[in-house]
Amino acid sequence: MSVVNDNITLDMFQPAQISADESDRISAPSIGFWKDAWLRLRKNKAAVVGLFFIVLIVIMAIVAPMLSKYGIDDQDVVNRQNLYPRIPGLEWLGFDGKDSTGMDTYELNGVKQNFWFGTDELGRDIWVRVWAGTRISLIIALIASIGDCLIGVAYGGISAYYGGLVDNVMQRVIEILAGIPNLVLIILFILWLGGGMTSIILALIISGWIGMARIVRGQVLKLKNQEFVLASRTLGSSDQRIIWKHLIPNVLGQIIITLMFTIPGAIFFEAFLSFIGLGIPAPAASLGSLNQAGFENLQIYPYMALFPALILSILMISFNLLADGLRDAFDPRMRK
Amino acid sequence: MTTQKNERQKYVEVNNLKKHFKVGRNAYLRAVDDVSFYIYKGETFGLVGESGCGKSTTGRTIIRLYDATAGEVLIDGVNVHAKKSRAELKDLNKKVQMIFQDPYASLNPRMTVKDIIAEGIDVHNIAKSKKERDERVYHLLETVGLNREHANRYPHEFSGGQRQRIGIARALAVDPEFIICDEPISALDVSIQAQVVNLLEKLQKERGLTYLFIAHDLSMVKHISDRVGVMYLGKMTEVAESDELYDNPLHPYTQALLSAIPVPDPDYERTRERIILEGDVPSPVNPPSGCRFRTRCPFATEVCAQVTPRWTEQRKDHWVACHLYDDEYKGNFNR
C-alpha cells in the first residue's frame, strides 16, 4: 500500500500566514432577507410569468377604459348591437367579426371601426366593460384581502402573544365563526346591506380573516419562545418593541404569502357572488357579472363569455403561481 | 489567587426557589423544586446535571423570564420576583444578562448585527446619538474579537462561534454585573468552545463579572468554575468549591457523574471504575418520594423513601443533601 515518495521533503513546505483577523473576514456581499427572496423569486420562471400577467392585467384595468372613447354604459341598440369581435391581424383566429353563419356583422350594421372584444346586446363595448369589470374585481379583492390581513394579524397575534386564557377564548370564538358556512353568512350579509361594492367587501372580510388569523397565531406561537425573543426580554424590551421589532418582521413573509393566496380567492368569490346575482348592480360590471351575462348568451354569442372568463382564469392562475413562487422564495426549507 | 472567603460578598442568593409548570389538570411538572444556593461576587458558579434536571429553568427563573412558584432570588440584595416599577425592572435588566445556548436561534434573522447588539443600548437609552451608538457597537464587536465591518451583516452570514460571540456582545452592551450563561458552548464544536470559554474568562477578568455557568460538560465546568452545584431532577444535590467537589464528591450522584469523566492517562483508565447508574431519570411530574435520587442510588435504604434529605453544610462551603452524611440517619447505612 505504501507509496515511497522521495521527491517531497520537509523544506518544500512553509507555514501559511493566516491571521485571526483574516479568517473572520466574510468576502461574500451582504444579502438581506428581502433581496435574497427577490433573487430566488426571479429564478422561478412560473412566478415571473405570473407576476408579468398580473402587472399587465392591472395596467390594462387602469388604462384601457380611460383610453377608449366609450364608457361602460354607452348603449347603441340601433347601430352596433351584438357585434362579433374583430381584431385586425387576428382574423385567422376567428376574430374577424363574422357570426356562425359566416355573415360579417360589421357590414350588416355598417360599422367601420373595430370592436376588439365585440359588443353586447345593448351595443356596449365589451372591451371597455371587461377591463372596467377587472378593475372593480381587483379593487374588491385587494381591499377585502387587506382587511382580512389587518384583522387576522391583529387577532392571531394577540391570541398567540398573550396566550393562556386569552388564547383559549379567542380560539373558541374563531371555531364558532368557522363553523358557520360562510356562503350562508355572506348571502345574509348582502341581503341585509343590499348589493354593491361595500357590502361585498365587508361580506368577504367577515369570513376571510380566519385563515390569516390562524396562520399568524401559529407563527407567533413558534417565535415567541425563540431565544432571540427571550434575549430581548432579558434586555428589558417592552411588549410593543418585541412585537414590532422581533415578531412582525419574522411573520411578514408568511403574511405576504397568505395575502397572495387570499387575493385570488376573493376575486373568485366575488365573481361567484356576481354570477348568482348577488354582486355589483347594473350597469356597473365586474368579471362575475360579465361572465353571467356571457353565460346567458353562450349558445348564440359565445364570445361574450370568452373574454371575461379568460381574464378571470389568467388572473387566478397568475396569483397562484406568484404566491407559490413567493412561498418558495421566503422559505426555501418548505420546498419539497 | 486565594482570597479571604469570609470577606466575600454573596452577590446572588437563591432561597428555596420553586418553579412548577402546570401540565394538566392537577398535574405539575416540578422543574425546580426547593433549590437554594448562593454565588459570590466575581466568581463563576457552575451548574451541572443531566438534560431536563432543571438547570436552564433555574437560570431563567433567576432572571425573571419565568415567575417563581415559590421562594426568592436576591441579586445584590434586591428581590427579583417582588413587585417592581418599570424603572426598577429596567435597572435589574441592566445588571443581569443572559447568554443563550443555541447560537442559531438566539439572533433575530431579520436584524443586522448592529441592531442586535444595540438592542440593549436602545432599550435603556444609553447612547445619546446615532454616532455614539455606532461607536459602542464597534467597540463591543472588537471586544468579542469580531471586526467593525461585521456590523452591517445579517446573522446567517456567521458561523456558530461568531454568532455566540455576537450574543455575548449583546449581553455586554448594557454593562451587566452578572451573566447567566445557559449552556453557551454546548452547541459549538470543541475548538470553538475553547475560544468562547477563553473570551468569557477574559471578560470576567477585565470587568469583574459574576457568572452562572450552566453546562453538562463536566471537565469544562471544572475548568471555568470556582464553585460547582450539581442538580438532579429539580433538586440541588451538592454544592462545593470546584476542586473540593471533584476531589471529594460526597453525594452518590456526584460520585457517579464524576466517575464518567475520562482521564487522558491510559494506565489510570485501565483501572478506572465507572459507577454505572441503573434505570432512567424518573419523571419530574411524578418524582419519587423522599430523596429524588433513591430509585437509582446504590446505597438507598427505606429511610430515603420516607424522609427528604436535609440540605446541610458538611464541610466548609461544601453543601450536600444526602442521608449518608446526616447524623440522624447515618446509622441506617452500613458503609
Side-chain angles (χ1 to χ4, degrees):
Chain A
M1 272 302 285
S2 66
V3 177
V4 183
N5 200 338
D6 298 327
N7 300 337
I8 296 172
T9 53
L10 195 64
D11 53 76
M12 294 173 85
F13 293 92
Q14 59 178 31
Q17 296 287 339
I18 297 176
S19 65
D21 213 41
E22 202 68 29
S23 64
D24 273 342
R25 183 149 292 151
I26 307 171
S27 54
S30 180
I31 294 177
F33 172 72
W34 299 105
K35 198 174 171 201
D36 185 45
W38 169 241
L39 288 177
R40 236 175 290 145
L41 184 69
R42 237 174 34 183
K43 278 191 197 137
N44 186 335
K45 289 206 179 62
V48 173
V49 170
L51 186 62
F52 169 75
F53 274 109
I54 290 169
V55 170
L56 185 74
I57 289 175
V58 168
I59 289 174
M60 288 304 282
I62 295 168
V63 173
M66 292 198 287
L67 292 184
S68 172
K69 60 180 175 180
Y70 299 108
I72 56 160
D73 197 29
D74 285 354
Q75 306 180 9
D76 188 347
V77 268
V78 183
N79 292 320
R80 39 170 221 264
Q81 198 183 11
N82 295 330
L83 294 176
Y84 273 63
R86 186 164 74 179
I87 307 174
L90 285 181
E91 283 90 353
W92 54 277
L93 259 177
F95 300 122
D96 50 6
K98 290 181 180 146
D99 65 12
S100 50
T101 57
M103 305 281 275
D104 193 325
T105 47
Y106 287 76
E107 264 176 38
L108 286 175
N109 288 295
V111 178
K112 291 276 184 297
Q113 69 185 112
N114 296 316
F115 288 98
W116 288 355
F117 287 3
T119 59
D120 64 9
E121 72 274 14
L122 294 173
R124 295 178 293 196
D125 185 359
I126 292 182
W127 166 265
V128 175
R129 285 181 68 75
V130 162
W131 292 118
T134 309
R135 184 196 285 181
I136 287 182
S137 287
L138 281 172
I139 289 172
I140 289 175
L142 201 66
I143 296 179
S145 302
I146 289 171
D148 280 357
C149 183
L150 293 178
I151 298 177
V153 169
Y155 196 97
I158 290 170
S159 178
Y161 187 75
Y162 292 102
L165 186 67
V166 177
D167 187 37
N168 227 330
V169 171
M170 288 176 92
Q171 289 311 304
R172 297 299 85 72
V173 171
I174 276 199
E175 276 158 25
I176 292 168
L177 282 180
I180 306 170
N182 61 354
L183 189 57
V184 175
L185 203 68
I186 287 172
I187 289 173
L188 287 176
F189 207 76
I190 290 173
L191 288 177
W192 176 42
L193 283 179
M197 238 164 94
T198 325
S199 57
I200 295 181
I201 289 171
L202 286 175
L204 286 175
I205 290 176
I206 221 177
S207 61
W209 61 270
I210 291 176
M212 180 68 90
R214 284 186 166 155
I215 294 216
V216 171
R217 174 174 176 268
Q219 290 292 316
V220 172
L221 276 183
K222 192 181 83 181
L223 288 171
K224 76 167 184 178
N225 286 323
Q226 293 261 313
E227 285 182 347
F228 67 82
V229 177
L230 296 182
S232 178
R233 194 162 291 161
T234 57
L235 283 165
S237 300
S238 58
D239 283 355
Q240 206 184 345
R241 186 185 164 84
I242 290 174
I243 291 171
W244 287 105
K245 287 264 172 183
H246 293 287
L247 298 180
I248 299 277
N250 280 289
V251 187
L252 206 54
Q254 284 292 322
I255 293 175
I256 291 174
I257 293 161
T258 315
L259 189 70
M260 294 309 283
F261 278 116
T262 322
I263 290 175
I267 292 174
F268 183 77
F269 219 93
E270 182 278 324
F272 168 74
L273 286 174
S274 296
F275 192 82
I276 61 171
L278 287 171
I280 303 290
S286 72
L287 286 175
S289 63
L290 289 169
N291 266 318
Q292 200 262 341
F295 174 72
E296 282 172 2
N297 298 311
L298 193 61
Q299 287 189 310
I300 320 162
Y301 306 115
Y303 63 88
M304 281 192 202
L306 176 66
F307 296 104
L310 204 62
I311 303 284
L312 183 63
S313 311
I314 293 176
L315 209 51
M316 302 262 303
I317 292 173
S318 301
F319 268 111
N320 277 304
L321 287 178
L322 181 64
D324 258 340
L326 281 173
R327 189 181 55 201
D328 293 345
F330 283 140
D331 194 355
R333 279 165 304 174
M334 264 167 70
R335 184 162 35 196
K336 289 271 157 67
Chain B
M1 281 296 280
T2 47
T3 41
Q4 277 294 325
K5 278 162 202 153
N6 301 338
E7 289 166 23
R8 286 167 84 185
Q9 178 198 347
K10 286 176 186 171
Y11 188 74
V12 180
E13 267 183 87
V14 178
N15 296 324
N16 305 94
L17 186 72
K18 287 184 188 179
K19 176 65 199 172
H20 297 177
F21 294 101
K22 198 173 166 85
V23 288
R25 208 172 285 253
N26 295 324
Y28 290 91
L29 190 150
R30 294 163 199 209
V32 179
D33 207 10
D34 208 358
V35 162
S36 303
F37 60 96
Y38 48 84
I39 305 175
Y40 291 121
K41 195 168 177 62
E43 77 167 351
T44 302
F45 186 89
L47 194 57
V48 294
E50 294 170 66
S51 314
C53 72
K55 311 182 294 279
S56 291
T57 310
T58 307
R60 289 179 180 189
T61 314
I62 288 175
I63 204 171
R64 208 179 156 153
L65 276 175
Y66 299 143
D67 288 319
T69 310
E72 60 171 11
V73 177
L74 299 175
I75 293 180
D76 211 5
V78 180
N79 189 345
V80 175
H81 291 278
K83 233 188 164 85
K84 281 193 169 53
S85 70
R86 269 192 99 79
E88 285 173 313
L89 262 180
K90 279 206 163 173
D91 199 43
L92 181 75
N93 287 325
K94 261 178 93 167
K95 262 190 198 163
V96 188
Q97 273 306 306
M98 191 154 182
I99 299 168
F100 290 89
Q101 172 175 12
D102 184 353
Y104 290 89
S106 62
L107 307 178
N108 186 343
R110 300 284 181 274
M111 284 163 89
T112 58
V113 168
K114 186 195 277 178
D115 288 334
I116 290 171
I117 295 178
E119 180 151 30
I121 299 174
D122 295 340
V123 169
H124 295 283
N125 296 321
I126 293 172
K128 306 270 177 308
S129 63
K130 206 174 165 303
K131 193 161 169 280
E132 195 192 335
R133 179 180 183 258
D134 288 354
E135 279 309 313
R136 275 176 176 270
V137 170
Y138 296 147
H139 181 71
L140 285 163
L141 274 174
E142 277 154 14
T143 308
V144 298
L146 296 166
N147 46 45
R148 53 174 64 201
E149 286 103 73
H150 291 145
N152 289 319
R153 297 194 169 264
Y154 287 88
H156 68 89
E157 299 173 57
F158 294 88
S159 68
Q162 288 174 320
R163 282 160 159 259
Q164 200 57 289
R165 281 186 271 165
I166 294 169
I168 294 172
R170 169 176 59 193
L172 291 176
V174 292
D175 268 327
E177 296 170 2
F178 175 47
I179 297 182
I180 297 172
C181 310
D182 186 1
E183 309 201 26
I185 52 168
S186 317
L188 307 174
D189 63 52
V190 179
S191 60
I192 307 295
Q193 281 185 0
Q195 263 183 30
V196 171
V197 164
N198 290 342
L199 174 64
L200 287 172
E201 286 186 323
K202 188 188 96 185
L203 291 170
Q204 183 171 39
K205 219 172 278 170
E206 287 170 4
R207 301 175 174 230
L209 295 168
T210 307
Y211 288 140
L212 171 62
F213 194 89
I214 301 170
H216 50 237
D217 180 342
L218 291 166
S219 36
M220 194 55 98
V221 169
K222 181 176 193 238
H223 168 75
I224 196 171
S225 307
D226 300 307
R227 285 164 65 246
V228 178
V230 183
M231 277 185 84
Y232 180 78
L233 209 59
K235 290 265 191 199
M236 194 66 89
T237 56
E238 190 166 0
V239 174
E241 299 242 326
S242 175
D243 291 337
E244 162 78 6
L245 185 91
Y246 280 78
D247 296 341
N248 244 327
L250 293 179
H251 199 283
Y253 180 60
T254 317
Q255 290 167 358
L257 269 188
L258 294 178
S259 78
I261 306 179
V263 182
D265 175 359
D267 294 331
Y268 178 84
E269 276 295 296
R270 220 165 280 141
T271 55
R272 181 165 69 103
E273 261 185 63
R274 268 201 71 182
I275 305 170
I276 308 281
L277 294 176
E278 309 268 317
D280 283 324
V281 187
S283 158
V285 180
N286 227 335
S289 62
C291 175
R292 293 278 168 94
F293 186 56
R294 69 174 165 83
T295 52
R296 303 170 73 191
C297 182
F299 308 111
T301 59
E302 265 168 42
V303 69
C304 297
Q306 287 151 7
V307 187
T308 308
R310 278 184 292 195
W311 182 237
T312 51
E313 189 169 15
Q314 278 302 314
R315 296 176 194 164
K316 178 93 194 79
D317 254 339
H318 192 151
W319 295 72
V320 67
C322 184
H323 292 319
L324 279 173
Y325 307 99
D326 198 320
D327 295 332
E328 203 174 316
Y329 302 106
K330 252 181 196 165
N332 294 312
F333 301 92
N334 44 359
R335 275 183 83 185

